Amino acid sequence: MMNTLYIFTSAELKSHQLAMLTENDSVLLTQDASYCVSRFVDLKGDKYLLDSCAQARDVKAPAPFKMITDEEFVALVLSHKTNITW
């Protein structure tokens, strides 16, 4: 089981939120946070972008982001010990 999944929903990111991320954590961008992919590219850990949110906002997933479906989102949540949504 993986550590923490940080689910970002807002484009208004705070520096203390990003400072909490470690290489053992994962990040999922949804809703308006999809616009912020460039702020996460160089951060450690696994990175995901919810496909339906990205398509609705015409956002492309740069490497190392992985586009995931709603079904994969559920599996991702269940594979982590802790989930934090901002």
Side-chain angles (χ1 to χ4, degrees):
M1 185 167 278
M2 300 184 84
N3 231 5
T4 301
L5 173 64
Y6 290 94
I7 304 170
F8 291 89
T9 61
S10 172
E12 296 181 26
L13 302 174
K14 309 290 187 227
S15 58
H16 75 277
Q17 293 170 322
L18 301 179
M20 294 177 66
L21 303 174
T22 72
E23 63 187 36
N24 296 319
D25 297 327
S26 300
V27 169
L28 171 62
L29 302 182
T30 67
Q31 301 175 28
D32 284 348
S34 301
Y35 293 121
C36 301
V37 290
S38 63
R39 294 198 54 196
F40 288 89
V41 169
D42 294 331
L43 295 177
K44 297 178 182 175
D46 295 328
K47 297 167 200 66
Y48 303 92
L49 185 59
L50 192 59
D51 186 52
S52 57
C53 294
Q55 284 186 14
R57 290 159 179 82
D58 196 29
V59 172
K60 307 295 182 235
F65 274 88
K66 179 183 178 198
M67 297 287 275
I68 62 170
T69 64
D70 291 337
E71 293 81 16
E72 291 170 315
F73 166 69
V74 173
L76 189 63
V77 168
L78 295 175
S79 69
H80 287 76
K81 291 179 189 175
T82 306
N83 299 281
I84 298 173
T85 302
W86 279 313

